[in-house]
Amino acid sequence: MQERNLTRRSFVQAATLAGAAAAIGVSMPNALVETEPAYADEPVETKVVKTSCHGCIQMCPVRAYIENGVVVKLEGNPDAPVSRGSLCLKGLNQLHTMYSPRRVLHPLKRAGQRGENKWEVISWDEALDLAAEQITSTIDKYGPYSFFASVGGGGSYSFMEAMTLPMAFGSPTVFEPGCAQCYLPRYAMAKYMYGGNDQSVADNAVQEIFKVEDNKADTVVLWGAQPSVSQTAESGRGMAELRAQGVKTIVVDPNFSPDAQKADVWLPVRPGTDTGLLLCWFRYIFENKLYNEEFTKFWTNLPFLIDPDTKLPVKAEELFEDFVSPTPENTPAYVCVDAASGEPKPFVFSLPENADVDPEIFATVEIDGKQYKSAGQIYKEEAEPWTLEHTAENCWLQADKIEEAVKLYTGASVAGIVNGVASDMTESASQVPLGCMGLDAIMGYVDIPGCTMTQYGTGVVANPTSRPVTYHNGFDGMFSDMYGCGAVVGLSDEENAERIASFDPAVQEQFGRLLLDRLGMKDHKGLYTWCHSHIPTVREAIATGEPFKPRVWFDMSGNKLAMLGNAKSWYDVFPEIDFIIGQYPMLTSFHVEAADLVFPVREWLEEPMVNMTQLNTSWLQNECVHIGETVSHSIPAAQVIARCKEKWGGTMPGLTPGYIGSATEAEVKESVAATLQAPSWEELINNTDKYVPCVIPPEDYWHYKQYETIVDDGLPAGFGTESRKFEVYCTLLLKMARTGYPFCYPYEQEACADYSPICTYIEPAESPLDDDEYPFVLTSGRVPYFHHGTMRHAAFARELFPTAEIRINTRTAAELGISHMDWVKVSSRRGEVHARAYLTEGVAPRTVWMERFWNPECYDESQPNKTAGWRECNVNVLTKNDAPFNEVFGSYTNRGFTVKIEKSEKPSNVWVEPHEFEPFMPTLQSEPQTKDVF
Amino acid sequence: MNDWDLRNAEYGRDVSWGDADDGIESDNGMLDPAETDLASSEATPEKPNAGAWSQEKCLDFLEREVCRHPLNRELLYKTLELCLDPLELSALEQRMLSFPEAAQATQDPYHLVCLLEDAGGLRRTELDGEGREVTDLQKRESTEDEADDLVASVLFETTETGRTFVRQHDPRRRFAELLDAEPVRKNCYIELLGFCNERPRPYTEIETLLRSNAVLLSEKKSGLPLQPSVFVDKLERAGILEWRDGWSLSQEGRGCLDALRGE
């Protein structure tokens, strides 16, 4: 931190006075008039503070310039290894957010009716008491299941808090509009398939390709991801650096994004049909034998023979009576067809050079009258229809471009797929990561320099000494360790039983009950990975009151009406929810329409935190300033819990420890200091340069080919699956569907239909191929000005991108009589919204593309007929939240549904011209600095 | 022909998107207002108009307003019922505050009464000291202070729309509809009503009572067995159960239980 005291006037005094006198001239001796002292007359205390942006999920390191307690400038920190001093529009516009006249600085209680933007400022004491009274009285009347919580999407501060708050009250219900629709499928499938990191760049899982030193990246496939827009300053910058170094890129995206514009090959796939393209790649790679033969044979489970009745790999003991495996019980030997003899043989786990079989990847064999196929053969047959020509026709692509892309991918010295959020928002949410990770696996692009799936850091996954195991139930299985439910994949049956035997049976039973009673879990057990409920099932329960009614809601996010699919269906159930608590820095449509009480929370310039890493560096999000009675995000719930506990005579109905979050600012700060290895917050602040960034030495961070490391059982480590193989044929999905294993262990969840263990094609339920009424397919993606529902009140951001735009092909627009920037009405089977038409060749003729939007100006005081701003331009009025869902995660359809478009008019209340956003200009710079509330 | 073939035909060559320079994106018109950037029309929000609206529309509007917030719903219903005979404001407020639902209401009685008036469920009559109605004409012909002094009391009476609403949503009728919709649960409801008739019951006791109930165990929704709270919720929603430091029967609830037991 640097401090300088300046008096500008003294610095420039001589020059300016001389200049002014000369300009005025001797003939106007009375022209100078005495006025109030200018701002620059006062001494300006300037300091530069290290902090991190929190404008999106990646959190680029930043330097904040603070003059007399007001942040006046932000810039990227050039010491950050990936962002290298970049800072995007979202970060820069934080000044408009921090000091926005829309800021909520004090607790607010609703004064009028829901839907009216009328609020009463109340004290924290009254607010906490009101929240606690509503929660305790509701639970007293209807039981703990009447409580539920929710949070926002990627980048949300309160992910852990929202997940654990219901646990504290004994409720199973929590959700966020992301989760199954954002990141969970990719995160979870990686754990199921190999126990390692997934292919997401946005969520910082992929780090290897952004290495500064010794970067071996050669070819990168951006599959449904646009880093240049979504995380411009970090991974966007990172991709730019890669391209500048000559790394080749393939972009699979219906939209001609900035990354697509720079790509070597762009594949504008029809929205929702990525699985067809993936199977095409599999087919091409299998047919032309382009896969990494050694890795596929010895490190994936594709050679395993699959029992046609159970769909599970056959264990050697099942077919060979006298066989005794030389490996431990939790490292079974399976069966393959040996290439040398053509006969089925036991396939014992070992290094390739120690194997006593040469396993066929594609095999069909009859044993005792039963036909067994290898997993590879099953995959090959699934992919068979997906020729280049068929794929081109179905997916609206060109066959030669598909071939060019797959040749680039397979011909690289190393490549890797980056799997973005797009597929999470479709019915194929589990199939796409199955396919993307499966492809990288058969190519051997795993845990090697330059690929996208690597294990880094100082944990045991990155540097194994024993056989890798994978924990489930929350991040790294934290809830398994806390409450005793959940098997650890890779441990033996005996080890798992012994592990949970040490837990209090009452706690275990209560947690187990919460798992089994969680809404939507029978059908979509993948949600257990993050302990989240199935959103449409929660909505249904609220609407019908069955199997129980969630009726007091604590939300920790921005605009649920802009983010939840089929927003009106949620608006329609608000009258069934008794009391709604929110916490956010400002009021959104959701608060206007629904909230009864709102707690004020800090903006990122105010809240201490340690954010996502950039490679091997960790950075501080600093308390640069603090205004009003705002608090750090975990505090409201912690304080409410304390009040509830008082009302209940010192006990809580839920689990212990239950809520994970800090109750005071001091706790927050000390936790941050500890994470950055500083002895105290004070020491951290006084010597920030010493502790920030916190750096793990590269030699301790980057690791490769861990699967080959010989570990304590004398075998190669392998991967964190039951077979110790990379399960391209994902057997855990089958067990999960049938019993809820590993999450519900030792209990069993009711079975649902089997989940597919391989990538399969799913035609979107609303398909432009046969929908005459709604002939266009709509998909979405980010624009660089906003993150989720944020920044729509930032005047400069709105000036640059004032309103929702829908990208339409020029030919399509001409057919509809639509000109560039015309207002259009976009309708789906759920509703209708408006946007301006952005004509472009960058989308296919029957594809349209529209980002989320909402309009906070609609309830500005100047509006004669206020609305809450979520119906006008909000694509989530159109999105589809009913079945069919993704089988594993219950993902509904935010992308790849059908719409129709017609010319229309601008909706009332929507602002477009720059001058209209004047009321959003920041005004709170003069707010005094305030002390911590708690 | 697929879209690609059509496109190629148009340009006479094989182009990938972005190659054709038609001048659209070099000048994207961001600075020019579109022709369809029309000024918004200033429509005023709808208010119930008994003269111009159909009875059904009036009823729908009233129902929407009454049901807008669940913590106010039953209290608003009871207020409409209270005012079937005109009731003076202070007496009305006192009666409203005596209901168990008042403890949870999100607004004070007067604001709720005004809500019902705005929704077309109640009619306000202002009386002078002689008990005569103060008309709008009298108020317009007075100063503001004189107009205030004119009004000695305010009466509220349920409108025709409000009366229809009260009849349609009578707790006995709601309960009958509930039993018709869910006949398999009838015995469970009777058991619960009898249990709560003995004395006010905390939810935990109801949970214990119903946990092994056959209906709970056999019926499933979203793949899960019903929670006991479902029955409490339904009966409360019907106006049969109310919370008085425990679940108890409302007056209508006692009547319904007697009738069921008599069957």
Side-chain angles (χ1 to χ4, degrees):
Chain A
M1 184 176 77
Q2 307 157 32
E3 292 193 26
R4 293 169 287 168
N5 287 314
L6 297 173
T7 301
R8 290 204 182 106
R9 181 69 74 185
S10 62
F11 180 73
V12 299
Q13 186 172 17
T16 53
L17 286 177
I24 290 168
V26 176
S27 62
M28 298 174 68
N30 298 319
L32 290 174
V33 177
E34 190 151 343
T35 64
E36 295 291 329
Y39 168 73
D41 276 338
E42 300 166 9
V44 176
E45 182 196 320
T46 302
K47 57 183 183 181
V48 183
V49 174
K50 268 181 174 170
T51 186
S52 300
C53 177
H54 206 129
C56 79
I57 194 171
Q58 288 200 325
M59 308 166 196
C60 301
V62 159
R63 292 201 288 224
Y65 290 74
I66 305 172
E67 290 184 357
N68 290 350
V70 179
V71 180
V72 295
K73 177 180 164 181
L74 297 168
E75 66 183 18
N77 190 322
D79 295 334
V82 184
S83 53
R84 307 181 196 213
S86 304
L87 186 62
C88 77
L89 290 166
K90 297 183 288 290
L92 291 167
N93 272 320
Q94 174 61 4
L95 299 185
H96 279 230
T97 299
M98 176 67 211
Y99 298 114
S100 170
R102 291 295 185 96
R103 279 295 301 271
V104 174
L105 298 182
H106 308 281
L108 297 178
K109 175 184 166 185
R110 182 174 289 280
Q113 285 274 71
R114 283 180 181 172
E116 294 180 319
N117 193 19
K118 293 179 181 172
W119 303 89
E120 177 189 352
V121 175
I122 59 176
S123 69
W124 265 100
D125 189 56
E126 188 180 343
L128 291 172
D129 215 62
L130 175 60
E133 175 58 34
Q134 290 291 339
I135 293 170
T136 54
S137 63
T138 304
I139 290 178
D140 284 346
K141 290 185 197 172
Y142 308 101
Y145 287 17
S146 58
F147 178 85
F148 69 112
S150 61
V151 69
S156 170
Y157 295 32
S158 309
F159 193 79
M160 190 56 63
E161 288 81 355
M163 195 191 288
T164 57
L165 181 60
M167 291 182 188
F169 287 114
S171 164
T173 309
V174 62
F175 66 86
E176 59 122 329
C179 191
Q181 283 73 232
C182 178
Y183 192 38
L184 172 68
R186 292 167 289 145
Y187 172 91
M189 288 307 308
K191 297 288 180 275
Y192 307 161
M193 291 175 79
Y194 83 115
N197 290 319
D198 55 81
Q199 295 169 315
S200 172
V201 147
D203 304 280
N204 271 17
V206 173
Q207 300 203 4
E208 171 66 21
I209 59 173
F210 298 123
K211 277 179 77 174
V212 177
E213 306 282 336
D214 197 29
N215 189 318
K216 294 283 195 283
D218 179 309
T219 300
V220 175
V221 181
L222 295 177
W223 200 301
Q226 42 165 13
S228 60
V229 171
S230 299
Q231 294 87 33
T232 311
E234 186 175 327
S235 48
R237 172 69 186 265
M239 288 306 303
E241 296 286 339
L242 287 180
R243 287 188 290 256
Q245 290 165 28
V247 169
K248 296 191 171 38
T249 60
I250 300 156
V251 171
V252 180
D253 191 333
N255 174 49
F256 196 41
S257 68
D259 292 294
Q261 293 165 29
K262 305 273 193 293
D264 293 273
V265 183
W266 174 43
L267 297 176
V269 68
R270 173 161 69 95
T273 66
D274 301 68
T275 44
L277 183 58
L278 285 163
L279 288 169
C280 180
W281 283 34
F282 270 102
R283 187 188 188 283
Y284 192 94
I285 291 170
F286 287 155
E287 186 176 50
N288 295 284
K289 238 185 156 192
L290 298 173
Y291 48 85
N292 181 315
E293 194 168 11
E294 179 178 294
F295 193 90
T296 304
K297 283 189 172 190
F298 294 100
W299 297 111
T300 80
N301 66 350
L302 287 185
F304 290 176
L305 292 185
I306 305 296
D307 186 322
D309 297 324
T310 64
K311 301 185 202 167
L312 293 170
V314 186
K315 292 186 183 167
E317 288 89 351
E318 294 170 36
L319 285 182
F320 301 96
E321 267 184 44
D322 300 326
F323 176 79
V324 176
S325 178
T327 53
E329 178 233 332
N330 57 332
T331 307
Y334 294 89
V335 180
C336 68
V337 171
D338 182 19
S341 62
E343 294 295 320
K345 291 261 179 81
F347 186 3
V348 176
F349 182 75
S350 72
L351 284 171
E353 55 264 36
N354 296 337
D356 53 12
V357 288
D358 178 15
E360 291 276 30
I361 299 168
F362 310 109
T364 303
V365 67
E366 191 161 306
I367 306 171
D368 296 333
K370 208 154 110 172
Q371 188 184 74
Y372 294 80
K373 296 178 185 177
S374 66
Q377 180 64 27
I378 292 171
Y379 226 127
K380 187 178 177 186
E381 291 175 8
E382 184 69 31
E384 183 54 32
W386 294 95
T387 61
L388 291 169
E389 293 70 29
H390 173 62
T391 305
E393 174 152 11
N394 186 78
C395 301
W396 296 356
L397 296 168
Q398 291 174 290
D400 59 339
K401 287 289 187 187
I402 300 172
E403 187 171 26
E404 185 184 346
V406 73
K407 277 182 170 175
L408 200 55
Y409 171 70
T410 56
S413 60
V414 58
I417 297 176
V418 169
N419 183 9
V421 72
S423 60
D424 296 340
M425 300 189 174
T426 68
E427 198 189 336
S428 305
S430 59
Q431 281 81 0
V432 173
L434 270 169
C436 286
M437 286 189 282
L439 281 171
D440 271 0
I442 64 173
M443 293 305 303
Y445 297 149
V446 180
D447 287 340
I448 58 173
C451 74
T452 53
M453 284 195 290
T454 61
Q455 323 313 312
Y456 39 78
T458 54
V460 293
V461 177
N463 214 3
T465 53
S466 357
R467 170 246 166 88
V469 297
T470 304
Y471 289 76
H472 297 272
N473 274 347
F475 292 98
D476 294 326
M478 58 190 291
F479 300 127
S480 295
D481 285 343
M482 288 162 70
Y483 304 119
C485 283
V488 179
V489 173
L491 290 183
S492 67
D493 292 344
E494 193 183 318
E495 286 170 326
N496 267 313
E498 198 180 304
R499 190 172 159 274
I500 64 166
S502 62
F503 286 88
D504 177 349
V507 169
Q508 193 178 67
E509 191 184 329
Q510 185 179 20
F511 187 69
R513 182 100 317 263
L514 294 182
L515 293 178
L516 298 179
D517 286 349
R518 182 163 296 131
L519 291 164
M521 305 316 290
K522 170 182 162 288
D523 290 316
H524 309 297
K525 297 177 176 71
L527 284 162
Y528 279 133
T529 304
W530 283 0
C531 288
H532 274 227
S533 312
H534 183 232
I535 295 175
T537 312
V538 173
R539 199 210 72 83
E540 183 73 9
I542 294 170
T544 64
E546 300 184 16
F548 56 86
K549 176 177 276 196
R551 56 199 308 158
V552 63
W553 185 359
F554 197 132
D555 176 65
M556 303 180 183
S557 73
N559 195 347
K560 277 285 175 290
L561 285 167
M563 296 298 123
L564 283 166
N566 190 353
K568 186 167 182 298
S569 72
W570 273 92
Y571 175 79
D572 288 343
V573 300
F574 289 162
E576 297 298 324
I577 304 171
D578 293 350
F579 199 76
I580 300 173
I581 303 163
Q583 62 172 56
Y584 204 59
M586 53 198 74
L587 298 178
T588 69
S589 311
F590 174 68
H591 304 112
V592 171
E593 296 281 27
D596 300 297
L597 174 67
V598 179
F599 293 120
V601 288
R602 297 187 178 201
E603 278 289 346
W604 63 254
L605 280 169
E606 303 173 284
E607 177 156 351
M609 199 178 291
V610 178
N611 285 326
M612 297 246 242
T613 61
Q614 269 201 20
L615 305 186
N616 56 330
T617 64
S618 298
W619 298 79
L620 168 67
Q621 180 179 304
N622 211 336
E623 183 186 49
C624 301
V625 289
H626 178 234
I627 61 174
E629 291 187 286
T630 59
V631 300
S632 292
H633 68 284
S634 69
I635 290 175
Q639 292 289 334
V640 167
I641 285 174
R643 290 292 174 107
C644 290
K645 210 168 171 179
E646 271 178 51
K647 289 183 184 294
W648 275 324
T651 61
M652 289 284 287
L655 297 162
T656 305
Y659 183 67
I660 296 175
S662 304
T664 65
E665 301 294 352
E667 278 178 41
V668 170
K669 290 169 182 174
E670 290 311 318
S671 170
V672 166
T675 305
L676 291 170
Q677 298 174 27
S680 68
W681 172 257
E682 196 179 338
E683 165 65 10
L684 175 61
I685 293 310
N686 291 334
N687 292 290
T688 308
D689 288 344
K690 180 178 171 187
Y691 299 101
V692 181
C694 181
V695 181
I696 298 173
E699 60 273 19
D700 294 338
Y701 194 77
W702 302 106
H703 310 281
Y704 305 101
K705 289 207 165 184
Q706 297 91 323
Y707 54 91
E708 292 181 340
T709 308
I710 302 300
V711 294
D712 59 10
D713 63 3
L715 295 171
F719 297 99
T721 58
E722 189 173 301
S723 62
R724 282 166 100 155
K725 306 279 187 171
F726 193 119
E727 297 206 353
V728 177
Y729 182 96
C730 187
T731 61
L732 190 63
L733 286 175
L734 292 163
K735 294 186 174 181
M736 192 187 301
R738 295 166 185 175
T739 63
Y741 179 90
F743 309 103
C744 299
Y745 174 89
Y747 304 102
E748 284 195 2
Q749 173 63 278
E750 193 177 333
C752 60
D754 276 348
Y755 302 145
S756 174
I758 60 171
C759 179
T760 57
Y761 183 72
I762 299 177
E763 176 64 26
E766 286 183 7
S767 172
L769 302 181
D770 57 13
D771 195 338
D772 294 329
E773 190 181 356
Y774 297 88
F776 302 104
V777 58
L778 185 147
T779 188
S780 295
R782 296 262 175 77
V783 293
Y785 316 93
F786 316 115
H787 177 69
H788 294 317
T790 68
M791 313 305 289
R792 291 347 182 260
H793 57 275
F796 286 175
R798 290 294 300 275
E799 180 177 347
L800 292 170
F801 195 86
T803 190
E805 291 181 1
I806 184 163
R807 298 184 185 174
I808 305 176
N809 184 276
T810 50
R811 181 164 4 119
T812 304
E815 288 168 6
L816 296 172
I818 294 169
S819 301
H820 191 59
M821 289 286 115
D822 273 352
W823 278 94
V824 295
K825 182 169 76 175
V826 189
S827 307
S828 76
R829 289 179 167 86
R830 272 69 57 189
E832 58 187 48
V833 297
H834 291 77
R836 288 205 302 202
Y838 184 100
L839 272 55
T840 175
E841 294 295 314
V843 288
R846 281 189 297 141
T847 297
V848 292
W849 187 102
M850 183 175 171
E851 161 62 317
R852 297 157 293 179
F853 209 91
W854 66 282
N855 300 79
E857 65 269 27
C858 289
Y859 48 95
D860 186 76
E861 279 311 304
S862 62
Q863 302 278 14
N865 300 308
K866 299 175 184 49
T867 62
W870 62 274
R871 295 183 195 257
E872 287 81 355
C873 303
N874 172 19
V875 76
N876 271 316
V877 167
L878 309 177
T879 50
K880 181 180 180 304
N881 68 341
D882 58 356
F885 307 111
N886 171 258
E887 56 188 10
V888 180
F889 303 104
S891 317
Y892 48 81
T893 304
N894 283 346
R895 303 189 190 196
F897 59 91
T898 52
V899 297
K900 59 184 175 184
I901 300 167
E902 52 199 292
K903 196 163 169 172
S904 185
E905 296 177 356
K906 183 178 81 72
S908 304
N909 295 1
V910 166
W911 293 348
V912 176
E913 298 302 317
H915 73 269
E916 292 183 288
F917 299 108
E918 181 66 35
F920 285 169
M921 288 297 288
T923 57
L924 298 189
Q925 295 93 326
S926 57
E927 280 288 318
Q929 296 298 295
T930 48
K931 293 184 180 170
D932 295 344
V933 176
F934 296 102
Chain B
M1 284 197 288
N2 63 24
D3 288 333
W4 275 106
D5 293 333
L6 286 169
R7 178 152 177 63
N8 292 341
E10 183 183 318
Y11 282 92
R13 59 188 171 97
D14 183 10
V15 296
S16 58
W17 291 321
D19 286 354
D21 181 8
D22 53 12
I24 287 288
E25 286 174 72
S26 59
D27 171 17
N28 67 11
M30 285 291 286
L31 299 179
D32 305 324
E35 287 179 11
T36 50
D37 273 346
L38 304 175
S40 56
S41 57
E42 293 189 13
T44 50
E46 282 196 307
K47 286 279 184 192
N49 185 339
W53 286 8
S54 68
Q55 173 71 326
E56 193 180 338
K57 188 172 178 180
C58 290
L59 263 175
D60 281 347
F61 189 90
L62 177 60
E63 175 144 4
R64 197 165 64 241
E65 293 303 299
V66 167
C67 295
R68 189 189 283 268
H69 200 304
L71 293 181
N72 300 332
R73 190 170 53 223
E74 196 64 25
L75 183 59
L76 288 170
Y77 170 82
K78 287 183 173 178
T79 303
L80 288 171
E81 194 185 29
L82 277 176
C83 295
L84 290 174
D85 290 320
L87 204 55
E88 196 273 328
L89 175 61
S90 58
L92 175 57
E93 286 175 316
Q94 289 305 311
R95 294 287 299 276
M96 288 171 73
L97 287 170
S98 73
F99 293 133
E101 293 86 3
Q104 293 278 275
T106 64
Q107 298 188 65
D108 61 51
Y110 179 67
H111 278 97
L112 292 175
V113 167
C114 290
L115 185 160
L116 287 172
E117 182 188 3
D118 289 342
L122 290 179
R123 176 172 47 249
R124 173 196 299 249
T125 306
E126 293 172 327
L127 303 178
D128 64 16
E130 313 282 306
R132 292 174 300 215
E133 186 174 344
V134 174
T135 63
D136 285 340
L137 179 61
Q138 280 176 282
K139 286 205 256 186
R140 279 199 302 273
E141 290 175 349
S142 309
T143 65
E144 195 175 334
D145 286 343
E146 286 170 349
D148 283 344
D149 289 340
L150 264 178
V151 178
S153 64
V154 181
L155 292 184
F156 285 94
E157 184 180 5
T158 310
T159 62
E160 272 314 305
T161 303
R163 288 170 193 276
T164 305
F165 184 88
V166 169
R167 274 197 305 276
Q168 287 183 346
H169 297 285
D170 184 299
R172 288 159 294 199
R173 187 168 173 171
R174 283 186 255 167
F175 186 53
E177 287 170 356
L178 181 64
L179 294 183
D180 282 346
E182 303 165 355
V184 295
R185 300 181 184 179
K186 181 176 175 180
N187 290 338
C188 186
Y189 285 130
I190 294 173
E191 184 181 8
L192 180 55
L193 289 175
F195 189 64
C196 294
N197 194 36
E198 293 169 13
R199 56 180 170 83
R201 298 285 188 179
Y203 177 72
T204 47
E205 288 184 15
I206 293 175
E207 201 173 23
T208 305
L209 173 76
L210 294 181
R211 268 286 169 221
S212 54
N213 185 285
V215 171
L216 239 70
L217 294 174
S218 63
E219 274 201 62
K220 286 199 173 180
K221 190 68 189 261
S222 301
L224 291 173
L226 300 181
Q227 292 289 319
S229 58
V230 169
F231 295 83
V232 171
D233 176 60
K234 298 283 173 116
L235 289 174
E236 184 196 20
R237 195 66 182 267
I240 299 300
L241 273 186
E242 54 190 24
W243 179 264
R244 293 179 187 270
D245 290 329
W247 289 107
S248 324
L249 270 58
S250 65
Q251 187 178 337
E252 292 86 352
R254 287 192 286 277
C256 288
L257 179 60
D258 289 341
L260 283 171
R261 281 175 168 168
E263 285 179 2

